C-alpha cells in the first residue's frame, strides 16, 4: 500500500509539472508558440491515424496500403529479434562464397553431357580445385622470389604447373594454358 501511494504521488507531481514545462518551452520558442523540433498537435494526430493494428506506419497519401502491405523505409527493416523493439536495423546481405562450381559444371557438360553431380561431389571437386590453385600460386611466388622478380606472368605459372602436376597431366595442362593465354591476348 505504501508503494502504491508513492507511485500515485509521483504520477500527480508529473501531471502538475509537465504542463508548466511545456508552457516554459513555448515561451522560449517565441510568439507563435511553436517549439523547434516538436510537431504540432495536428501533426501528431495525423500520425496516430496512420498507425494501424500492427503498430506500423502506413504509406502516406495512399489509402488501403497501410500496415501489412506498406513498404518499409530505405533505412532498414524492423528487426523482430532485436533487443529493443522497433529498432531499425539494415538487413545484411549474405556474404558471397566464391567457388569453382560453375566452371566444374561446364567442363562436366563438355565431357559427359548426360551425367550430373551431387552437392557433396561438387564440394569435393571445389576443395580439390582450391588445393591445386593454392599449390600453383605458392609455387609461382617461390619462383618469383628465387628469380628476384615482382611481376607474376604466365611463364611462372607454366613452370609451376610443370613442377607440381605429374606426367601426362602436366602436358595437357600446359596445352590448355597456352590456348587460354593466346585466346586472351587476341581480344
Amino acid at each position: 500500500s505504501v508503494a502504491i501511494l508513492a507511485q500515485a504521488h509521483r504520477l500527480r507531481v508529473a501531471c502538475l509539472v509537465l504542463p508548466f514545462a511545456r508552457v516554459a518551452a513555448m515561451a522560449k520558442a517565441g510568439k507563435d508558440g511553436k517549439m523547434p523540433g516538436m510537431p504540432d498537435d495536428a501533426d501528431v494526430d495525423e500520425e496516430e491515424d496512420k498507425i494501424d493494428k500492427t503498430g506500423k506506419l502506413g504509406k502516406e497519401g495512399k489509402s488501403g496500403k497501410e500496415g501489412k502491405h506498406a513498404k518499409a523505409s530505405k533505412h532498414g527493416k524492423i528487426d523482430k529479434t532485436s533487443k529493443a523493439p522497433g529498432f531499425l536495423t539494415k538487413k545484411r546481405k549474405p556474404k558471397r562464397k566464391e567457388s569453382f562450381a560453375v566452371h566444374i559444371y561446364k567442363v562436366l557438360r563438355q565431357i559427359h553431357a548426360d551425367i550430373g553431380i551431387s552437392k557433396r561431389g561438387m564440394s569435393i571437386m571445389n576443395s580439390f580445385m582450391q588445393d591445386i590453385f593454392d599449390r600453383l600460386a605458392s609455387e609461382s611466388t617461390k619462383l618469383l622470389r628465387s628469380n628476384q622478380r615482382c611481376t607474376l606472368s604466365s611463364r611462372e605459372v607454366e613452370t609451376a604447373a610443370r613442377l607440381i602436376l605429374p606426367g601426362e597431366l602436366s602436358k595437357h595442362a600446359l596445352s590448355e594454358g597456352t590456348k587460354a593465354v593466346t585466346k586472351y591476348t587476341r581480344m
Side-chain angles (χ1 to χ4, degrees), residues 6-27:
Q7 192 175 8
H9 177 69
R10 276 190 234 118
L11 189 62
R12 274 191 229 120
V13 169
C15 288
L16 289 172
V17 171
L18 282 175
F20 290 115
R22 188 164 184 166
V23 169
M26 284 181 166

Side-chain angles (χ1 to χ4, degrees), residues 27-40:
K28 278 185 179 177
K31 295 177 183 176
D32 58 348
K34 290 185 181 179
M35 290 185 283
M38 291 292 290
D40 293 340

Side-chain angles (χ1 to χ4, degrees), residues 33-92:
K34 290 185 181 179
M35 290 185 283
M38 291 292 290
D40 293 340
D41 290 333
D43 294 340
V44 173
D45 291 340
E46 286 174 12
E47 284 186 18
E48 286 173 0
D49 291 340
K50 283 190 260 178
I51 297 175
D52 67 342
K53 294 173 190 174
T54 59
K56 295 179 182 174
L57 285 175
K59 197 172 183 181
E60 190 173 333
K62 289 188 177 181
S63 61
K65 287 270 187 178
E66 294 181 303
K68 192 174 183 181
H69 301 288
K71 287 187 177 179
S73 67
K74 289 182 181 177
H75 298 293
K77 294 183 178 182
I78 296 175
D79 188 13
K80 292 179 182 176
T81 59
S82 67
K83 293 177 183 175
F87 182 74
L88 295 177
T89 57
K90 271 203 169 183
K91 192 172 182 181
R92 286 188 178 179

Side-chain angles (χ1 to χ4, degrees), residues 93-105:
K93 289 183 182 178
K95 284 190 174 180
R96 288 177 55 183
K97 287 196 171 185
E98 291 181 349
S99 71
F100 293 99
V102 175
H103 312 290
I104 292 167
Y105 203 76

Side-chain angles (χ1 to χ4, degrees), residues 84-155:
F87 182 74
L88 295 177
T89 57
K90 271 203 169 183
K91 192 172 182 181
R92 286 188 178 179
K93 289 183 182 178
K95 284 190 174 180
R96 288 177 55 183
K97 287 196 171 185
E98 291 181 349
S99 71
F100 293 99
V102 175
H103 312 290
I104 292 167
Y105 203 76
K106 282 180 183 175
V107 171
L108 181 65
R109 283 285 151 252
Q110 287 174 358
I111 299 165
H112 296 288
D114 55 338
I115 295 176
I117 187 167
S118 67
K119 190 175 180 180
R120 189 166 180 217
M122 185 60 83
S123 173
I124 290 166
M125 284 300 296
N126 192 44
S127 299
F128 171 72
M129 289 301 300
Q130 285 175 342
D131 182 48
I132 295 294
F133 179 80
D134 287 339
R135 286 186 195 180
L136 282 172
S138 61
E139 190 65 35
S140 302
T141 53
K142 283 178 190 173
L143 287 167
L144 279 176
R145 287 194 190 116
S146 65
N147 293 333
Q148 296 176 352
R149 293 186 178 212
C150 298
T151 309
L152 181 68
S153 67
S154 61
R155 189 166 180 244

